[in-house]
Amino acid sequence: MEKNVRHILRAWSVFFIFFLFVCGWHPARAQKVFGTLEDIWKYADSHNIQIISAMANKDMAERGVSQAYGNILPLINSSGNYIDNIKIQPTLVPAEIFGGQPGTFKEVKFGQRYLYNCIVSMQMNVINAQDWFNIRSSKYSSEIASLNISKTKRETYEQIASSYYSYILLREIARLSQENFNTSDSTFRIAKNKFDEGVVNEIVLNTSAINLQKAGKAMEEAAQNEIIVLNNLKILLNFKPTDSIVLKEDFSHGTRLAADSLSFARDPDVVLSNLQMAQARNSLRSAKAALAPVLSAVYQVTDQFSTNDAFDFVNATSLPQQYWGVRINFPLFTGGTRLNQVRKMKIDFENKQRIYESTVTQSDLANRNIRIEYNKTRESFRKAVEILALYRSNDEHASKRFREGLISLDERLKVYSDYNLYQNDYIQSLSDYLIQYYRVQIRQKEL
């Protein structure tokens, strides 16, 4: 009976595994489909670890602003203590106070065993310019943290776009390789038949075989490179190794940007440099403010309870105290520390000012170069498409004339070789154009 049960369980196990295999089920596999590059960028905003870290830094900077405002509020402290005088030290006093002989002393214990102290104190800076400069500095830090998100997004978007358009480029290479493979396979079959008939020599046969091998090798390399590119995207999107990515955008040359629509959004580098200069100016003013006096108001309430019985507050003796006052602090001599701080902050501000001016110039020139490069590569790629179409047309005519017996196999292979050779120029033009295109895309996007 047990043997039959084991056979039944084993049969069901095999059936269940087979069912899962047929259905394509995988317990830890997920698939994400992206229609456009914009979809990938949106996904990266909430999944890329660098962008998430930059957002966390912004949240911390915003907390710093609240913390800086908290420094100008009154500082209130409260403390208390409990003392148990297990043994009170005696004090010698003249005995004549108690009716004794003059010149003699008597041991007397002063105080009670249990003491309770309660203190509440408050201090508030009435005049302290540095507090307000610290608030302004924290605001600049918060704005800089926000711009660091934009910079991080730009860098991440460029990496994603590079992988994305590399994938599109590889798909184009795979398409051409498949086309070349079909042509080479057909040509090789004809060459093999003619070689067997003694019409062509072995050199011609080997040449057609080489073309076939090259086309197959290019197809294999394109497939492997596609896997590498998609793995790079997985890294940027924080995917698991078992997850898969599907890119569905249909690359159409006619839907690309027009050359006269190259208006760019603000450059995060310029805005960030401007904020860093403003923060350096604020630090300089804060260092100068450190030389000014600080005026504070203080208030304190103290009460002490003493009793011979623990926690007997009803019969305890109370000794309250209360005072308020004004405190002023003049930095008369600090060993030159604050003056050197002022000089250091002045040097830093002047340096940040020069960096800002240089960043503005560099950004403007870089944008001009991007426009020139984009228009140049766009026009070059447009011509490459037209030239490739002519080469393809020649190849189709040569194939037809060869099948009709109007041209030799040598001439057919030469036309194919010219077409295949120009495909490299076409791929290079497409690669240059895609690089400039995604650079334009990112600079047009308000990050």
Side-chain angles (χ1 to χ4, degrees):
M1 180 68 178
E2 291 180 0
K3 194 172 185 181
N4 293 333
V5 171
R6 285 200 302 269
H7 283 308
I8 294 173
L9 290 176
R10 186 179 301 170
W12 273 106
S13 299
V14 172
F15 174 78
F16 181 71
I17 294 173
F18 177 78
F19 176 79
L20 293 179
F21 177 78
V22 171
C23 295
W25 180 82
H26 196 288
R29 185 177 180 86
Q31 184 182 77
K32 186 67 178 178
V33 180
F34 297 104
T36 64
L37 177 60
E38 188 71 28
D39 295 337
I40 305 179
W41 283 342
K42 289 180 181 178
Y43 185 87
D45 287 344
S46 56
H47 292 82
N48 178 265
I49 190 64
Q50 283 76 24
I51 295 177
I52 293 174
S53 298
M55 290 180 175
N57 291 333
K58 178 181 179 295
D59 292 339
M60 289 190 293
E62 289 177 349
R63 296 297 178 184
V65 176
S66 300
Q67 182 179 2
Y69 270 109
N71 291 333
I72 66 175
L73 297 176
L75 178 63
I76 301 176
N77 290 321
S78 177
S79 63
N81 60 65
Y82 160 74
I83 299 175
D84 182 357
N85 294 311
I86 299 174
K87 186 175 181 180
I88 301 176
Q89 183 181 11
T91 303
L92 295 176
V93 298
E96 61 181 325
I97 296 177
F98 303 99
Q101 294 294 328
T104 61
F105 295 88
K106 183 179 180 180
E107 290 186 359
V108 180
K109 294 181 179 180
F110 292 96
Q112 294 176 301
R113 179 172 178 178
Y114 300 101
L115 298 177
Y116 306 90
N117 289 322
C118 180
I119 301 173
V120 177
S121 63
M122 181 183 71
Q123 178 175 334
M124 184 177 70
N125 291 332
V126 179
I127 299 176
N128 189 352
Q130 280 195 300
D131 287 342
W132 296 102
F133 284 117
N134 289 338
I135 292 174
R136 187 175 299 172
S137 177
S138 63
K139 288 182 178 179
Y140 284 136
S141 297
S142 179
E143 293 180 25
I144 288 174
S146 297
L147 282 171
N148 278 330
I149 295 177
S150 299
K151 282 178 61 65
T152 303
K153 281 187 176 183
R154 169 179 281 191
E155 294 169 359
T156 304
Y157 284 5
E158 285 183 353
Q159 295 173 6
I160 291 174
S162 177
S163 297
Y164 181 81
Y165 286 117
S166 293
Y167 179 79
I168 289 178
L169 183 68
L170 289 169
R171 283 199 309 198
E172 184 70 4
I173 293 174
R175 184 188 66 80
L176 291 175
S177 300
Q178 181 65 55
E179 179 184 303
N180 293 338
F181 182 84
N182 295 336
T183 301
S184 299
D185 182 63
S186 175
T187 304
F188 174 75
R189 293 177 183 275
I190 297 175
K192 182 67 170 61
N193 293 332
K194 290 185 176 293
F195 176 78
D196 293 340
E197 296 172 358
V199 178
V200 299
N201 56 38
E202 189 173 354
I203 295 177
V204 175
L205 177 65
N206 289 340
T207 300
S208 61
I210 290 171
N211 291 335
L212 180 61
Q213 292 293 331
K214 283 182 177 181
K217 179 174 177 290
M219 287 176 57
E220 182 179 350
E221 289 179 351
Q224 295 297 322
N225 288 332
E226 283 183 18
I227 296 174
I228 294 174
V229 168
L230 291 180
N231 284 337
N232 291 336
L233 268 179
K234 287 182 181 181
I235 294 173
L236 293 170
L237 300 178
N238 202 23
F239 273 33
K240 296 178 180 179
T242 55
D243 296 340
S244 63
I245 300 177
V246 177
L247 306 180
K248 283 196 168 183
E249 183 177 12
D250 182 19
F251 181 75
S252 174
H253 309 313
T255 60
R256 295 304 165 195
L257 293 175
D260 56 353
S261 63
L262 302 181
S263 58
F264 296 157
R266 63 174 186 166
D267 189 346
D269 290 332
V270 173
V271 184
L272 178 61
S273 181
N274 185 35
L275 278 175
Q276 289 173 337
M277 180 184 66
Q279 189 176 47
R281 183 192 296 112
N282 183 73
S283 298
L284 173 61
R285 292 173 178 173
S286 177
K288 292 179 179 179
L291 302 173
V294 177
L295 180 65
S296 304
V298 294
Y299 174 78
Q300 181 170 304
V301 177
T302 305
D303 204 347
Q304 179 177 284
F305 300 90
S306 59
T307 177
N308 285 322
D309 297 319
F311 304 105
D312 182 13
F313 297 103
V314 176
N315 299 315
T317 302
S318 175
L319 300 174
Q321 182 188 22
Q322 184 176 183
Y323 72 86
W324 77 275
V326 177
R327 181 181 300 160
I328 188 167
N329 180 28
F330 286 95
L332 297 178
F333 180 72
T334 58
T337 301
R338 300 191 181 188
L339 288 175
N340 285 322
Q341 181 70 8
V342 171
R343 297 189 184 103
K344 187 173 73 173
M345 291 297 98
K346 183 178 180 182
I347 294 173
D348 183 60
F349 168 64
E350 291 173 350
N351 184 52
K352 291 292 196 306
Q353 195 173 28
R354 287 190 292 267
I355 292 175
Y356 170 69
E357 293 170 355
S358 175
T359 303
V360 172
T361 302
Q362 292 177 10
S363 177
D364 181 60
L365 291 175
N367 288 339
R368 294 184 184 185
N369 285 339
I370 288 174
R371 291 185 179 95
I372 294 173
E373 288 288 341
Y374 173 76
N375 288 327
K376 181 184 72 173
T377 56
R378 182 173 181 269
E379 183 63 20
S380 175
F381 176 61
R382 185 187 65 80
K383 293 179 179 179
V385 172
E386 295 176 354
I387 295 173
L388 185 71
L390 293 175
Y391 271 106
R392 181 182 290 111
S393 178
N394 284 346
D395 186 70
E396 292 173 353
H397 286 302
S399 177
K400 180 180 179 181
R401 289 173 63 84
F402 174 68
R403 288 194 302 270
E404 295 173 353
L406 301 178
I407 61 174
S408 65
L409 183 57
D410 286 342
E411 188 174 354
R412 169 70 187 98
L413 291 176
K414 182 179 182 306
V415 174
Y416 170 77
S417 178
D418 292 341
Y419 173 48
N420 187 259
L421 185 64
Y422 185 75
Q423 288 177 1
N424 295 328
D425 293 339
Y426 165 77
I427 292 298
Q428 185 61 53
S429 296
L430 175 58
S431 175
D432 294 340
Y433 171 68
L434 291 178
I435 291 173
Q436 298 305 322
Y437 175 65
Y438 77 68
R439 293 179 68 190
V440 168
Q441 271 188 299
I442 293 173
R443 276 163 176 76
Q444 289 185 321
K445 191 175 182 62
E446 189 66 50
L447 302 174

